[in-house]
Structure formats: structure tokens, C-alpha cells
């Protein structure tokens, strides 16, 4: 299994972390899985909330953090 840190993923996607809780330790976390469904999250998963015709993935961000 290949793992990447959040910092590596953000760099590759050319995005920046914008949060009031940004800490170097957060960006150093490793990601081993990516999911758009909070029901499939497990430790090490990166949740991507996609907008859709029936649901907006951003509405599930809190559930993703809790998972």
C-alpha cells in the first residue's frame, strides 16, 4: 500500500491548507485511502466531499472528521 502525507497530496494537487487549526502535525499525517462516502471511511482515509444532484458532500464533512 502506498501512503502519502497530506502535504504531498496538497502539493501535487496545487492546493493550500486553509484552516484555523493548521498545524505541521496535521499536514504530516499519512493517507492510505481516499473516499467520497463517509460510511466507507477508516483510519488513514482522506474524505473528499463532492457535490452531486442529490447530496452535497460538504454536508458530511463533520461526519468524516468524526470517523
Amino acid at each position: 500500500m502506498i501512503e502519502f502525507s497530506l502535504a504531498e497530496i496538497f502539493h501535487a494537487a496545487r492546493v493550500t491548507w486553509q484552516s484555523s487549526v493548521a498545524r505541521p502535525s496535521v499536514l504530516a499525517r499519512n493517507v492510505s485511502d481516499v473516499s467520497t462516502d463517509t460510511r466507507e471511511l477508516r483510519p488513514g482515509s482522506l474524505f473528499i466531499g463532492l457535490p452531486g444532484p442529490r447530496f452535497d458532500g460538504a454536508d458530511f464533512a463533520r461526519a468524516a472528521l468524526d470517523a
Side-chain angles (χ1 to χ4, degrees):
M1 173 184 327
I2 298 174
E3 291 188 357
F4 296 96
S5 71
L6 284 176
E8 292 171 315
I9 293 169
F10 290 175
H11 177 75
R14 295 188 173 111
V15 298
T16 56
W17 178 271
Q18 296 181 5
S19 172
S20 61
V21 296
R23 296 181 186 96
S25 62
V26 172
L27 295 176
R29 290 184 183 170
N30 285 337
V31 173
S32 57
D33 183 47
V34 178
S35 180
T36 59
D37 187 339
T38 56
R39 298 168 294 182
E40 297 176 358
L41 294 176
R42 53 186 186 259
S45 294
L46 173 64
F47 174 70
I48 299 177
L50 300 174
R54 296 185 312 168
F55 300 102
D56 184 350
D59 294 339
F60 298 95
R62 175 52 56 191
L65 287 172
D66 292 342

